[in-house]
């Protein structure tokens, strides 16, 4: 039981939660979206700079959330830079599977994903905490909305 | 680590003023269960309270022995169910000391009761530019219905401010009441801070200016009870499920004279023109506002809950809860980094807090694994969270079945949170 808590609150997560990377509002972002979790009032805004060729050149976020949602957003911004929109979407799918399915398989095995998924594995602990899956995926849904053109999304 | 195993002097564990909490706990079947292998410590009664055997039995008996629709059959079951149903209305009347039982309108919840007033009374009596006074600490249930009316009618909402402790600023309240004020709608007690508002003064000041008052009694009634005649409010609303009764049942108390002047809720204000139809369909108050088959079993369950509370004695319950609050407040403040929101001198049974950098959601998850249930979130009071500039707080609420030992368990589990978050 306490082990599940330790799985959830691993050092890496606590570190990203406390000192989130890319926690800023880039001047030259050309996509952004705002995400809300109405259940807890958490908010996140994701900023992306996407090149004309469809490659994510910069990713950042602002907002307030719990350790899980902040860590997830922080790691996400590190991992999606340099990827094409299609690659980002496939990573999101794999991540979503990991958060929700016990015997998940990465949806796409293209090497790139495998490496990123290894890092994201620290968030797999949320599977034991169904109430917290939305915390882990909020920034990703928001990022997805930003890619799609930028809207407001809500996890409920 | 702090000395957290024993209540300090003056706290006689579990037996405040002859109140035997261990005996009381036996009335609540759920309290003997475990969560993740730990004894359940339920500190979320402000969201919804657990149910005593008395309520469960009354509802089971209703369904297994006395069930039928009410107000419409000549057969024995229908007559019996109707008798039980109307007896429960009289129990509510007695519990809040209403002058007449027809002043008790059954609704689905407190939320529906506020909506009923907004829709029926509000649509009939309010014009563009009229003002309704609410406060910074209201639950969304006492904000959103008025905002919807604002959109429809062009009325104006005025907000009574609070100070840092979470106390209503009564001078400001008085200043907000003007010639355009048509209603004051304030909570008896804040669900997010625990602040008890001086509702009697609030009513008197408004009535001196001829302004009717609605009190959201959802939290207040569970800890303080209410005497609506003494209070003098025109409307008083509450939910059954926070009063140890079932979900799906709430109460709108309204003074008979004011209810008499209100059109039916369902169908809306426009229906008032179809008087013939109305008179042949509705019998007057309170049934005018209870269209459709009511929540029969839930009403009977609510009646049983109130009987139970009256037998326990609300004063004794209140004394026990006051002791728990004082003890919990003292113990929690010993935890480094813990900040309490809501420190009004007049408060009851709720401690809203944050702990260092730990987000309330993380606090809630961690202590849940120790079997401790608290609420983590905005408590349906986002304007209040904005006032304190926090996205959320953790909230422990204490009810008639909680113990000093449970406070200790909470404190110990919060130390665990500190360990994890360093
Ligand atoms: C002060 C207050 N008002 C209104 C409500 C709404 O009650 P319900 O959801 O039962 O309608 C609550 C419950 O959370 C409350 O605490």
């Amino acid at each position: 039981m306490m082990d599940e808590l330790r799985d959830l609150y691993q050092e890496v997560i606590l570190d990203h939660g406390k000192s989130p990377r890319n926690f800023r509002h880039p001047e030259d972002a050309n996509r952004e979206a705002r995400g809300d979790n109405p259940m807890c009032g958490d908010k996140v805004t994701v900023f992306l700079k996407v090149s004309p060729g469809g490659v994510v050149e910069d990713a950042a976020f602002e907002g307030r959330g719990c350790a899980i949602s902040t860590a997830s957003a922080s790691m996400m911004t590190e991992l999606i830079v340099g990827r094409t929109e299609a690659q980002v979407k496939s990573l999101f799918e794999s991540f979503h599977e990991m958060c929700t399915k016990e015997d998940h398989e990465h949806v796409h095995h293209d090497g790139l994903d495998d490496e990123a998924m290894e890092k994201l594995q620290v968030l797999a602990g949320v599977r034991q905490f169904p109430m917290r899956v939305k915390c882990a995926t909020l920034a990703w849904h928001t990022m997805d909305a930003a890619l799609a053109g930028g809207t407001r999304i809500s996890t409920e | 680590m702090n000395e957290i195993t024993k209540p300090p002097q003056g706290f006689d564990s579990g037996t405040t003023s002859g109140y035997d909490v261990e005996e009381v706990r036996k009335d609540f079947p759920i309290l003997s269960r475990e969560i993740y292998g730990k004894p359940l410590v339920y500190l979320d009664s402000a969201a919804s309270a657990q149910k005593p055997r008395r309520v469960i039995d009354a509802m089971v008996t209703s369904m297994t022995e006395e069930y039928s629709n009410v107000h419409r059959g000549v057969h024995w079951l229908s007559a019996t169910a109707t008798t039980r149903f109307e007896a429960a209305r009289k129990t509510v009347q007695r519990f809040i000391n209403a002058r007449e039982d027809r002043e008790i309108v059954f609704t689905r919840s407190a939320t529906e009761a506020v909506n009923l007033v907004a829709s029926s009374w509000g649509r009939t009596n309010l014009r563009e530019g009229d003002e309704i006074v609410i406060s910074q600490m209201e639950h969304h249930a006492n904000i959103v219905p008025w905002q919807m009316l604002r959109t429809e009618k062009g009325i104006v909402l005025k907000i009574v401010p609070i100070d840092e402790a979470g106390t209503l600023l009564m001078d400001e309240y008085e200043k907000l009441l003007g010639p355009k004020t048509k209603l004051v709608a304030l909570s008896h007690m804040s669900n997010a801070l625990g602040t008890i508002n001086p509702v009697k003064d609030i009513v008197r000041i408004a009535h001196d200016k001829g302004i009717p008052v609605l009190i959201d009694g959802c939290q207040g009634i569970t800890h303080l009870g209410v005497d609506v005649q003494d209070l003098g409010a025109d409307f008083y609303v509450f939910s059954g499920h926070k009063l140890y009764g079932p979900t799906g049942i709430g109460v709108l108390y309204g003074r008979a004279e004011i209810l008499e002047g209100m059109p039916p809720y369902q169908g809306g204000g426009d229906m008032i023109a179809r008087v013939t139809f109305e008179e042949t369909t509705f019998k007057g108050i309170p049934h005018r506002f209870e269209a459709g088959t009511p929540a029969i079993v839930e009403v009977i369950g609510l009646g049983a809950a109130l009987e139970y509370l009256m037998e326990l004695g609300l004063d004794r319950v209140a004394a026990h809860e006051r002791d728990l609050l004082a003890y919990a407040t003292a113990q929690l403040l010993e935890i480094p980094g813990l900040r309490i929101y809501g420190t009004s001198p007049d408060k009851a049974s709720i401690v809203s807090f944050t702990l260092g950098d730990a987000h309330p959601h993380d606090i809630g998850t961690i202590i849940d694994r120790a079997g401790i249930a608290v609420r983590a979130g905005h408590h349906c009071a986002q304007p209040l969270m904005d006032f304190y500039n926090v996205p959320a707080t953790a909230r422990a609420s204490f009810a008639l079945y909680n113990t000093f030992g449970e406070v200790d368990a909470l404190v110990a589990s919060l130390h665990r949170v500190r360990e994890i978050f360093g």
Side-chain angles (χ1 to χ4, degrees), chain A residues 47 54 75:
Chain A
F47 309 97
M75 295 180 72

Side-chain angles (χ1 to χ4, degrees), chain B residues 46-47 109-112 139 141-142 187 189-191 216 218-219 239 241-242 375:
Chain B
S109 59
T111 299
E112 193 185 44
H139 186 281
N142 195 29
S187 52
M189 171 181 158
S190 159
N191 67 305
D216 171 0
C218 264
Q219 299 294 335
S239 279
H241 68 96
K242 294 179 200 277
R375 176 86 182 266

Side-chain angles (χ1 to χ4, degrees), chain B residues 173-192:
Chain B
Y173 163 67
E174 209 160 341
K175 278 191 230 153
L176 282 180
L177 303 183
K180 290 193 167 165
T181 313
K182 291 290 150 54
L183 181 73
V184 167
L186 293 177
S187 52
H188 191 168
M189 171 181 158
S190 159
N191 67 305

